[in-house]
Amino acid sequence: MSAEYTDIPDRRNFMIGSIAAAGAAAALVAGAEVANAQQKSAAGGSSGSGTVYTGEVLQGKQVVSQLDVADLEPGKTHSLYFQGVQAPGGQHWYVSVVVAKGIRPGKRFTLTSGVHGDEMSSIRTVQAVMEKLDPTQMSGTVMAVLDIARPAVESMQRRWPNSGRGIDLIDLNREWPGNENGASAASRHAGILFNRLLKPNSDLAIDFHTGTTGLEIAAFIIGDRSIPDVKTMSDLYPIGQMWDDAAYPGVLHNAFVDEGIPCFTPEVGAARTLDREMIALFVEGTMNVLKHYDVIGGSMGRTAADAGMVIGNGAAPIIATHGGLVEYLPKLDEEVKAGQKIAVQRNMFGEVVAEYTSAVNGKMSAYRTDATSEPGNILAFILFNQPSSTTQHGPHADSESSYPE
Ligand SMILES: [Zn+2]
């Protein structure tokens, strides 16, 4: 996985160079369309830009291509489709948006899910929060954007199927804030959503994820605790682990943060399934956040203090050196010591071909659930604390920061 992260930016930079030149020619041919997109892009960045209804109604939901939640009637919950980028067949990818608009002014929260298409508990967590809201009693606005990577959600896979060079797969959570004239549909989709939906309607945001397919994880949060509102919000979740790190360039929470909108990433269990127990913890935490910022009333639920949250600034990976079946010794959330044996790998004869130990003192955060592994795969992550002078961030900081959020 770490090899993949370092590979993609190089290829993308190469492509952007060649596409930029081609883009000028395309603008001459289809000038009106491109100019229109750029004009809207510029308008989308400013406040009070207004809501644009396309006039379409899909499955009973009105379609918008730009949204200003100030235009919506207070005291109601509004369900809309937001018009994303076009698919190869020419129809748009429509993203599901639910807005609970309070009767009084207040903070505007955005809750996002489905940036990765196999992360179902993230979607259900946001749905469950929205079900609990009564806009006739609320201050401010809560906007849910549920299935952001629509084609990836349709095929229950992490990455966006892009048809540029035959089907290849793009990780949408390395594309933010996107580019409406970018070199892939995924980049353009990110740009359209960020400029016309997410950024203009958010004072604070939370981008929900889960582990990736084939990886089981403990309940935890990724976020930069040096941002005061990120620290405040994270500490309101009754969960056991937090990775205090900004994570990668191009992730949605960093695009928000770069615009002055505090945001972080909760990780709600394993991919593909609905983990009801873990969903309940993240719903409780999110309701606490909305209470803290006076969007809703009510008494606080359990928080990080109640759950004994452990905060680490590193996620140490254990990387497979061989092929074969892998068996893990510690459970998730268990404390491990440096030098402790974490996993044993056997070949098809049953012979032990590798034993893996932890390099750090920490807590088991994640392990691979697909029983076999090839060399180079990440088998497990261990949350730990390293001296801040040696803390490394992002995908180029060797494999230490290769968490597949
Ligand atoms: Zn994810």
Side-chain angles (χ1 to χ4, degrees):
M1 287 173 196
S2 57
E4 172 191 298
Y5 295 145
T6 53
D7 180 39
I8 284 174
D10 293 337
R11 275 193 288 153
R12 190 173 54 207
N13 291 341
F14 169 75
M15 288 306 294
I16 286 169
S18 51
I19 296 276
L28 292 174
V29 178
E33 181 74 15
V34 172
N36 192 30
Q38 287 168 337
Q39 198 176 1
K40 281 184 180 171
S41 169
S46 58
S47 60
S49 51
T51 300
V52 178
Y53 290 90
T54 68
E56 295 157 291
V57 176
L58 297 177
Q59 296 183 305
K61 310 289 195 289
Q62 286 187 295
V63 178
V64 295
S65 59
Q66 186 158 302
L67 182 65
D68 183 346
V69 294
D71 297 335
L72 299 176
E73 189 183 341
K76 285 194 168 170
T77 298
H78 306 263
S79 294
L80 302 162
Y81 273 124
F82 186 85
Q83 180 179 282
V85 76
Q86 285 184 356
Q91 289 187 325
H92 292 267
W93 292 113
Y94 297 101
V95 173
S96 308
V97 178
V98 180
V99 182
K101 175 80 180 286
I103 51 168
R104 291 175 295 272
K107 293 287 188 193
R108 299 171 308 160
F109 271 87
T110 293
L111 312 178
T112 50
S113 59
V115 170
H116 291 130
D118 57 351
E119 302 185 354
M120 297 296 118
S121 287
S122 68
I123 296 173
R124 184 64 198 132
T125 299
V126 176
Q127 289 177 344
V129 169
M130 298 309 289
E131 286 165 9
K132 287 177 176 291
L133 299 179
D134 177 359
T136 67
Q137 305 295 319
M138 272 174 52
S139 302
T141 304
V142 181
M143 177 172 76
V145 186
L146 291 143
D147 46 2
I148 286 183
R150 267 295 308 283
V153 170
E154 296 300 339
S155 46
M156 184 67 96
Q157 66 180 3
R158 176 179 176 85
R159 292 176 295 173
W160 180 292
N162 176 63
S163 66
R165 290 147 280 180
I167 290 294
D168 58 13
L169 298 170
I170 293 178
D171 189 334
L172 190 59
N173 217 24
R174 300 295 180 275
E175 295 288 337
W176 301 97
N179 178 349
E180 294 196 25
N181 298 303
S184 71
S187 169
R188 292 180 179 218
H189 186 75
I192 292 166
L193 263 68
F194 198 72
N195 294 334
R196 308 183 195 194
L197 178 67
L198 300 175
K199 185 173 71 173
N201 293 304
S202 307
D203 298 319
L204 297 132
I206 308 172
D207 182 32
F208 292 86
H209 283 252
T210 75
T212 195
T213 292
L215 193 80
E216 179 79 84
I217 65 169
F220 78 103
I221 286 174
I222 302 172
D224 181 351
R225 292 177 64 85
S226 70
I227 301 165
D229 283 306
V230 169
K231 178 179 184 298
T232 297
M233 290 190 279
S234 301
D235 286 344
L236 293 171
Y237 282 79
I239 60 163
Q241 297 189 29
M242 176 159 187
W243 182 25
D244 180 13
D245 190 290
Y248 320 103
V251 304
L252 178 52
H253 74 239
N254 283 330
F256 276 119
V257 166
D258 289 346
E259 296 292 337
I261 301 162
C263 187
F264 60 98
T265 294
E267 297 277 348
V268 192
R272 305 185 81 85
T273 62
L274 295 183
D275 185 329
R276 294 168 67 179
E277 202 173 307
M278 223 181 263
I279 289 167
L281 295 177
F282 284 96
V283 170
E284 186 171 352
T286 307
M287 298 304 284
N288 286 342
V289 168
L290 297 177
K291 290 167 189 168
H292 177 84
Y293 288 90
D294 296 323
V295 173
I296 58 174
S299 55
M300 280 286 165
R302 296 166 298 170
T303 66
D306 299 311
M309 182 193 273
V310 169
I311 298 159
N313 61 7
I318 292 176
I319 296 171
T321 56
H322 290 67
L325 289 164
V326 184
E327 207 173 330
Y328 299 92
L329 306 176
K331 292 187 170 63
L332 287 180
D333 269 323
E334 207 170 300
E335 278 188 33
V336 297
K337 300 281 179 208
Q340 182 178 334
K341 198 189 295 182
I342 301 298
V344 177
Q345 190 171 29
R346 295 180 175 84
N347 64 16
M348 292 302 156
F349 295 95
E351 299 158 354
V352 173
V353 292
E355 291 186 338
Y356 301 94
T357 56
S358 177
V360 296
N361 295 321
K363 269 199 155 190
M364 283 292 284
S365 275
Y367 64 82
R368 185 178 164 87
T369 49
D370 283 358
T372 56
S373 178
E374 298 166 300
N377 286 340
I378 291 170
L379 298 177
F381 286 97
I382 297 164
L383 183 72
F384 73 109
N385 265 300
Q386 54 191 335
S388 56
S389 59
T390 61
T391 302
Q392 295 175 312
H393 300 274
H396 300 297
D398 71 38
S399 54
E400 263 181 59
S401 298
S402 48
Y403 190 83
E405 82 298 331

